[in-house]
Amino acid sequence: TIHERESKATQTIVQKIYKWYSVAAAVLLIPFLIAGSIWFIEQKAENSVTTENPVITTLFAPMGSRINFTLPDGTEGWLNSGSSLEYQIPFNENRQIAMKGEAWFHVANDETNPFEISVGNSKVKVLGTKFNMNAYPEENYVEVVLEEGKVEFTAPGIASVVEMKPDERLISTEDSVHIGYTEPEKYSAWKEGKLVFRGDPMEEVVRRI
């Protein structure tokens, strides 16, 4: 009888403690749920603001300098003296940039999101490739030299899209587009601080210097 009474008393105490802890846990859980809900709503609002209001980012290479860059999608490249790139963040699903000057690109491959470069009214579209692009505003022409991959070039005066192959050089002016074979290394040597000429006409040599 004594053991039975002691057992019942112990169970009663345990039940009371369990009941008290259950109530305490429930009371403490409510503030956590409220705080979690507020945090979730704030995070969702911040993400909505980021999506609706993209940030414009500009890269610029001062005169007499060259800078190395890596874009958010993994694209790597070099920016030559007095050149600039402008793009929006988020970038990975909208890989569009505006360029002035000269740059070399090693574009990260992404078949679902083509990489596009706008230079005035001209546009270069790629998936994954290496190429050099020269488009200083004061020179009134666009030059694209392709090392690897494939490039599509469009401009207002061109009836159809121009597809470039490796080792080709495209020069686009206001009234013409010319494509010919060349040595791509000549046109990307500036990354190493070099100017390379092999059988180039004097006009081309003077322009590049």
Side-chain angles (χ1 to χ4, degrees):
T1 302
I2 292 172
H3 283 303
E4 288 179 358
R5 289 176 180 175
E6 289 178 350
S7 178
K8 289 179 179 179
T10 303
Q11 290 179 2
T12 302
I13 294 172
V14 171
Q15 290 174 352
K16 289 181 178 179
I17 294 173
Y18 177 76
K19 184 178 180 180
W20 185 86
Y21 272 109
S22 299
V23 173
V27 171
L28 292 174
L29 183 61
I30 292 173
F32 280 110
L33 290 174
I34 294 173
S37 300
I38 294 172
W39 179 83
F40 178 78
I41 292 171
E42 289 179 349
Q43 289 295 111
K44 190 174 182 180
E46 288 179 4
N47 291 336
S48 299
V49 171
T50 302
T51 304
E52 294 174 359
N53 300 306
V55 178
I56 303 297
T57 301
T58 301
L59 301 178
F60 179 72
M63 296 300 293
S65 68
R66 302 181 303 276
I67 65 170
N68 179 235
F69 63 85
T70 301
L71 300 179
D73 67 333
T75 294
E76 299 177 345
W78 285 84
L79 202 57
N80 206 351
S81 171
S83 305
S84 65
L85 295 179
E86 187 177 277
Y87 60 93
Q88 293 184 352
I89 295 177
F91 180 75
N92 288 13
E93 296 181 0
N94 182 26
R95 303 199 300 168
Q96 299 181 0
I97 69 173
M99 189 193 93
K100 292 180 181 179
E102 184 172 22
W104 180 87
F105 296 91
H106 183 188
V107 178
N109 187 39
D110 185 351
E111 295 183 359
T112 59
N113 299 296
F115 190 95
E116 296 185 356
I117 303 173
S118 297
V119 180
N121 296 322
S122 303
K123 183 176 291 185
V124 170
K125 181 179 179 181
V126 300
L127 295 177
T129 184
K130 294 180 180 179
F131 65 99
N132 193 78
M133 192 166 182
N134 188 330
Y136 285 99
E138 60 272 15
E139 294 185 352
N140 297 318
Y141 87 108
V142 177
E143 175 190 76
V144 182
V145 180
L146 183 60
E147 293 183 23
E148 297 179 7
K150 184 178 73 173
V151 163
E152 294 180 354
F153 180 84
T154 57
I158 303 176
S160 59
V161 176
V162 178
E163 291 188 358
M164 294 182 62
K165 300 176 182 178
D167 298 334
E168 285 187 340
R169 178 192 182 206
L170 177 147
I171 297 178
S172 174
T173 60
E174 293 181 357
D175 54 2
S176 67
V177 175
H178 174 74
I179 297 180
Y181 284 97
T182 188
E183 300 174 67
E185 298 79 12
K186 288 171 40 178
Y187 299 92
S188 59
W190 60 265
K191 297 184 299 177
E192 303 171 6
K194 301 176 183 178
L195 287 176
V196 179
F197 302 100
R198 295 192 184 98
D200 296 304
M202 184 57 65
E203 181 181 356
E204 173 71 11
V205 174
V206 172
R207 184 190 63 80
R208 291 178 61 193
I209 290 177

